[in-house]
Amino acid sequence: MPEKELTLVDRCILVTLMVKAAPLPQTYFKNVAGISLKPEHRSRLKSLGLIEVTEKPRIVLTLTDKGWNRATEELGAEPPKRAGTAGGTLYVALDFLRRLIDHSGIRADDLFRMQINRDEVVAPPVASPASAAVDAVALIRQAYHELAAKPGDYVMLADLREALADLPRHEFDAALVTLNRERGVNLVPESNQKVLKPQERAAAVTIGNQDKHLVAISS
């Protein structure tokens, strides 16, 4: 397929998958990366053999080997026409990554898949449990307001967990317990347990010996 048929959104999807170096649920692109991933983008990239798509129990995108190669081409590439301010800035950052890779001699896929040993780097100050909980609370609040149609609407915890897939479960649960004590926050069980999907049951948080499946934040 000619290069001109890959849109800026297509390229951003590939770059996001490359940088995260892991399969990503479709909700991640909208709720975390701010990318409006539509079915046509997914279909085009799949038809080109650049991604694999798993649709059950949720839509998940994974880079193929060909997709990795195509994504690395964006490192140091010229931004596409009408990329805009954000797109232009993205390609400045990608060009820096390309120069860093060339200087270090590390392959792009090795760089993004790298697991850095704490003993080999100078670690930043470790946050206390209290500050970590505050950060998790802020992340959950932000994700909730992106998912809810309006403040006070109930959102499934499964959708929140999916939007914050990088947040460890124990931090997520501790933040929910903290939020549950705040005014304007309601954590409730699904009234009709029969309609719950397996992933929605698994996403529940137990508070007061009761599984909570939904949250509403009115402020």
Side-chain angles (χ1 to χ4, degrees), residues 9-10 12-18 20-30 35-46 50-56 58-64 68 162:
V9 174
D10 295 333
C12 287
I13 293 167
L14 294 178
V15 168
T16 300
L17 285 166
M18 174 180 65
K20 297 301 291 183
L24 294 176
Q26 178 164 290
T27 50
Y28 179 93
F29 293 91
K30 177 181 178 182
I35 298 172
S36 180
L37 196 167
K38 298 180 180 179
E40 55 263 34
H41 300 128
R42 195 169 66 240
S43 298
R44 180 163 49 247
L45 294 173
K46 183 179 179 181
L50 301 177
I51 63 170
E52 293 177 350
V53 180
T54 303
E55 299 192 6
K56 293 182 180 180
R58 58 178 178 171
I59 297 176
V60 176
L61 281 65
T62 306
L63 275 182
T64 62
W68 268 99
E162 187 172 342

Side-chain angles (χ1 to χ4, degrees), residues 32-215:
V32 180
I35 298 172
S36 180
L37 196 167
K38 298 180 180 179
E40 55 263 34
H41 300 128
R42 195 169 66 240
S43 298
R44 180 163 49 247
L45 294 173
K46 183 179 179 181
S47 68
L48 287 168
L50 301 177
I51 63 170
E52 293 177 350
V53 180
T54 303
E55 299 192 6
K56 293 182 180 180
R58 58 178 178 171
I59 297 176
V60 176
L61 281 65
T62 306
L63 275 182
T64 62
D65 289 341
K66 183 179 178 181
W68 268 99
N69 292 334
R70 182 59 187 82
T72 57
E73 290 178 14
E74 295 304 306
L75 299 173
E78 292 293 325
K81 294 180 180 179
R82 297 185 292 278
T85 302
T89 303
L90 167 65
Y91 277 83
V92 170
L94 292 177
D95 180 64
F96 170 77
L97 281 175
R98 164 55 65 192
R99 288 184 284 114
L100 176 64
I101 289 168
D102 290 344
H103 177 74
S104 65
I106 300 174
R107 286 165 48 94
D109 53 347
D110 290 337
L111 174 66
F112 294 120
R113 290 184 173 120
M114 185 183 298
Q115 298 295 318
I116 299 176
N117 189 320
R118 287 187 181 182
D119 296 334
E120 296 173 356
V121 296
V122 178
V126 178
S128 67
S131 63
V134 170
D135 291 342
V137 166
L139 287 171
I140 290 174
R141 281 186 174 275
Q142 180 181 350
Y144 168 85
H145 288 297
E146 291 175 351
L147 291 171
K150 63 181 186 298
D153 282 358
Y154 280 100
V155 169
M156 294 297 299
L157 292 185
D159 293 333
L160 274 177
R161 290 191 193 276
E162 187 172 342
L164 297 172
D166 291 338
L167 184 63
R169 180 162 186 133
H170 70 277
E171 291 184 22
F172 195 106
D173 289 357
L176 287 176
V177 172
T178 299
L179 276 168
N180 192 53
R181 303 190 190 105
E182 297 184 12
R183 180 178 298 178
V185 177
N186 292 303
L187 278 155
V188 300
E190 169 57 56
S191 57
N192 184 0
Q193 299 282 308
K194 293 181 180 179
V195 305
L196 286 173
K197 300 174 183 177
Q199 64 267 30
E200 292 171 341
R201 292 184 185 276
V205 62
T206 303
I207 299 177
N209 295 322
Q210 187 179 52
D211 286 346
K212 313 286 188 178
H213 308 96
L214 300 116
V215 62

